[in-house]
Amino acid sequence: MAITAANQLELLQTAEAVAREKMIDPDLVIQAMEESLARAAKSRYGAEMDIRVSIDRKTGKATFTRVRTVVDDKELENYQAELTVEQAKQYLEDPQIGDTIVDEVPPVDLGRIAAQSAKQVILQKVREAERDRQYEEFKDRVGTIINGVVKREEYGNIIVDIGRGEAILRRNEKIGRESYRPNDRIRAYVKDVRRETRGPQVFLSRTAPEFMAELFKMEVPEIYDGIIEIKAVARDPGSRAKIGVISHDNSIDPVGACVGMRGSRVQAVVGELQGEKIDIIPWNEDQATFLVNALQPAEVSKVVIDEEAQKIEVVVPDEQLSLAIGRRGQNVRLASQLTGLDIDILTEAEESARRQAEFAERTKLFVDALDIDEFFAQLLVAEGFTSLEEVAYVDMDELLSIEGVDEGTAEELQARARDVIEEQNRKALEAAKEMGVEQSLFDFEGLTPQMIEALAKDGIKTLEDFATCADWELAGGWTTVDGQRVKDDGLLEKFDVSLEEAQNLIMTARIMLGWVDPSELEVEDEGDAEDTEEEAGA
């Protein structure tokens, strides 16, 4: 195929037609043609040559040129595409390294194989341009709802025609056992768009919590306008869901607005979600109040929050337990997802039994250690005393405020408590020395003998050992394993050492050992303070 005047315009027309069909820039098609013609010319003139082709965008005329670059004598490798400064002097008056010499070469006639190769290059370039266009178009649709038509089903996954491309709805992203036939209309949430070798992949979901939030945004104008905000969504797809909403306008009820007249708005969402039951819950900044709302329809008697462990205990009347937990734990699981807290549900009887057990344990501690009668020990526990240390070192006035306790009794109580603690410390000290604890750990301020004994039992016998500990190893903490929060017991947890106290102790040990420069810590603290001030200002 020779490029003659007769088919020069045909090149431009072909480029226009392909660009229009694939909805890409015509210039990209012409660039692909230039590249394919240059490749064909190299097969004719030699692969070592730097042959370039330029197609005039108005006339369609293709110009073939050979480009040679001026290089240093020592770097001359390709004699077909490079030449030295001396060789370049016959073409240029004052050649410099990096200059190029461009010579026009005769156009080539494309043979059958060359023409086929050129066609493959053009098709490849067009496909790449089409993929780029699809990716650019759909990457901004992530987080929105898209409508499409079912094309086919592959291994349980649904392939959806979304206009200028295809998307995939994976088997695990479908609601329950819903099935689709070819040409069925489908509405789904665009979860992700990725570049892949076979083109951009658009992943859809109908089980994502965000899908429900977007459906409510479409059905409730107040949410779309920002008057009502969706703060949290938790779903058991196809079965039940909870959604927390708040109104930024006191005159508008967020729950009522989402339900709509005679339930019209929420029913539209329920219909799209295959009959999924939806609890619409008023959001509250107070975690306990929000949790009480989230556990509806069950009634809650008491809420106890452990902020450090991000755990919460809920006490419900005995007859409300099954309702609070829900079928297969569904109600409490959704409430946990909605609040982001681990929830333990106890009945009033269970909570009472646990309280009585703790009361009895502390009473026994005081009876055995302080040699007092059970009634007096119970009186101390009822007043909030939980340990010997509290009795020994509390302000005298707190003991005198207990009915029937005079100054002499209070002094005797504190003396007994201190004696017991000193004896415990003496035994702990001896045990720690027998286990081989070094003096550096005994001299370290902030650790009691009983703490040192507990550390020694775990193999921590020097200040260096202590300085390598992590804060959670000392104070305890929580980790998530397979979606479940698991308790990590701390070595010093029973001594009520907090995470912050553990951090300070470890850092002090590292400074004493010279592992950390205190001046660097001060600079970091100042930087953190500045960041906090900037955030506050923003």
Side-chain angles (χ1 to χ4, degrees), residues 471-489:
D471 48 16
W472 60 267
E473 288 181 279
L474 301 182
W478 294 82
T479 52
T480 303
V481 180
D482 298 328
Q484 297 292 321
R485 285 175 66 77
V486 179
K487 181 76 176 71
D488 292 321
D489 292 327

Side-chain angles (χ1 to χ4, degrees), residues 503-538:
Q503 288 170 350
N504 291 337
L505 286 170
I506 292 166
M507 194 55 67
T508 303
R510 290 173 182 174
I511 291 169
M512 287 175 66
L513 291 167
W515 296 0
V516 176
D517 186 350
S519 61
E520 290 179 6
L521 288 177
E522 287 172 13
V523 170
E524 284 179 18
D525 290 342
E526 285 171 12
D528 292 343
E530 286 173 11
D531 291 343
T532 307
E533 286 173 14
E534 285 175 12
E535 287 169 12

Side-chain angles (χ1 to χ4, degrees), residues 38 69 139 151 177 201 225 227 251 266 286 292 362 392 495:
T69 307
K139 73 171 184 180
K151 287 185 78 172
R177 298 175 183 172
Q201 290 290 297
D225 293 336
I227 299 169
S251 64
V266 73
D286 179 54
V292 170
R362 289 169 184 167
F495 302 105

Side-chain angles (χ1 to χ4, degrees), residues 20 186 216 297 321 510 524:
R20 198 162 41 246
I186 187 171
F216 268 104
L321 181 63
R510 290 173 182 174
E524 284 179 18

Side-chain angles (χ1 to χ4, degrees), residues 173 175 178 180 187-188 205-208 211 235 272 274:
E173 297 290 351
I175 296 174
E178 63 183 3
Y180 294 96
R187 184 190 278 182
S205 174
R206 285 176 55 79
T207 60
F211 181 46
R235 289 182 66 192
E272 180 63 50
Q274 306 293 320

